[in-house]
Amino acid sequence: MLVIVAGALLRLAVAQRGFNFDIASYRIVADIMANGGNVYEETQRYNYGPIWFHILAFLDTLPFPISDPLLSLRWKVTSFLSITDIAIAVCLYRWYGFKIATLFFLNPISIIITGYHSQFDNLAILMALISIKTLDNSSNKLSYKTLLGLFLLGVCLSIKHLLFLFPFWLAFKNTRWRDKLITLSIPYTVFLASFLPYLSKGADGILNHVFLYRGFANAPFWNGVAPEVIIDKIPIFVLFIGTLLFLGLFLRTKKPLESLYLYTIALVIFSSAVANQYLAICLVAISVHSNYIYTLYSVAGTIYLLASSDGLHFSLLQHYLGKSGNSSVIGYQELVFLLFLGLLLQLMSAETRTKTLHLVKKYILCLKQEIIMQIKSPW
């Protein structure tokens, strides 16, 4: 309870720094819903399934002591997303215990993204956890529990399509083609069916602003490590999709919940477009599989978000670190590279990990001795 109270208060405290573009977009969407309009027809500033704008419409009707409609909705959204984080922490507490739940809930990246940025990736992650946990507890055969889990995965996609390729990861695990087709068809059918009530007037908006929407293609991993000849020949979005599908095939022996954690980490690393809110997508996974590199990622990500112009924008830190994720001292490239190293460490066997750590310690000790010798050398 102390952890929950502390984490919730920190999220509300961070909200004192203000808000950004997303909250203004939510206000537009809530007004459209209040007037009985079609969100997909009337604005370009909504790129997701319909569930979130119904939640916004509900939150907007709740009484609140602040009269300003923008600020009122802003505090309601922050409170709702904080409750969502609490629900995730409770799941982690029940499944793994106090330590992992605390690592997630008090992670400063989670606090900043929920409290300031107010993106709702955590709601999709919560639904994904419930969905895949249901699948994890079902038998290998297609049972009612399996079908329920696949349906909930479709609901997850309808909230925010972070897991748009994850049905393929699940299908790769099936041994029969019938099971593969069912695993693919149920989530995508639920996702597509959610748009049907808005199709008559909002078809163009759904096509252009949901299915064809692309964020700013900064692709930090690909622009940081891939040779230019590859980037010039192959579109980065194709590299992104291809890598995720290959990893799903390569990791098909993992259990569904373990695959979910690996997917969320890979999604952030190999994405063709990364923004601040992406940094929180993998937090459940790196809390469950914590290692020292994931800890470095959390520390570096926190420092970046404190300085970022789209984060808490502390001017003192901006002076030393810069304020853009593409040009600052700690930026998206450094963060996804740390995440990549953490993933490699996670996937290593215990024996390989021990040998690697021993080798690293050996070279660090040699480097330390060499530096000391250089310092003590005579004039």
Side-chain angles (χ1 to χ4, degrees), residues 95 127-154 163 166-167 169-171 173-174 182-183 186-187 255-260:
W95 300 343
M127 183 55 66
L129 288 171
I130 296 171
S131 163
I132 307 307
K133 186 66 172 178
T134 304
L135 290 174
D136 228 21
N137 291 333
S138 65
S139 62
N140 291 329
K141 297 180 180 179
L142 284 175
S143 61
Y144 287 113
K145 186 176 286 189
T146 303
L147 297 178
L148 174 61
L150 293 173
F151 175 82
L152 293 176
L153 181 58
L163 273 66
F166 194 67
W169 283 48
L170 295 177
K173 301 177 188 300
N174 299 128
I182 292 175
T183 300
I186 292 178
K255 290 186 176 181
L257 196 59
E258 183 66 22
S259 292
L260 174 64

Side-chain angles (χ1 to χ4, degrees), residues 300-345:
T302 301
I303 295 171
Y304 164 70
L305 289 173
L306 290 173
S308 169
S309 58
D310 292 325
L312 298 191
H313 52 275
F314 284 105
S315 56
L316 178 62
L317 289 173
Q318 288 179 348
H319 177 73
Y320 293 102
L321 299 176
K323 57 184 179 180
S324 169
N326 302 308
S327 60
S328 56
V329 174
I330 299 175
Y332 296 141
Q333 283 194 357
E334 291 76 17
L335 293 172
V336 299
F337 188 67
L338 280 174
L339 205 55
F340 178 68
L341 292 178
L343 179 61
L344 291 180
L345 186 62

